Amino acid sequence: MEAARQYDVHEAQTHLSRIREQVAAGEEVVISKAGEPVAKVVPLGPKVRRTGRGSLAGRIHIADGFDELPDGIADAFGSPRHRSRG
């Protein structure tokens, strides 16, 4: 993997458009101050395409009793609606 291009803070301010284009093309850019790296500009991951609600309908099966908790678990977590009465 090729080393990231490095710009001094003042160069980065002057050439921000160029840096943005490089990052958009997949490159990483390091910003330094007095020769010491202080920041890295990296490309964002690809956008996630959401297909909308219900897109997994018919593909997922939730077993009967899925929501039932074993005795004592709800009490251990302080759930008032599952506490035993007595």
Side-chain angles (χ1 to χ4, degrees):
M1 181 177 201
E2 188 176 318
R5 293 187 189 198
Q6 188 164 328
Y7 290 87
D8 182 76
V9 168
H10 299 293
E11 286 179 304
Q13 290 173 338
T14 303
H15 301 291
L16 183 59
S17 294
R18 178 186 308 162
I19 291 170
R20 183 189 48 78
E21 289 172 9
Q22 291 169 345
V23 172
E27 296 180 40
E28 293 184 357
V29 173
V30 173
I31 311 290
S32 62
K33 184 174 183 180
E36 290 293 318
V38 294
K40 183 190 284 187
V41 184
V42 298
L44 293 175
K47 290 184 178 179
V48 175
R49 291 180 167 238
R50 306 254 185 238
T51 58
R53 295 176 187 245
S55 62
L56 295 177
R59 293 198 213 171
I60 296 177
H61 173 73
I62 299 175
D64 292 338
F66 175 80
D67 290 328
E68 297 171 14
L69 296 175
D71 292 340
I73 296 292
D75 289 336
F77 286 96
S79 177
R81 62 181 247 213
H82 294 291
R83 284 199 178 126
S84 54
R85 296 179 187 180

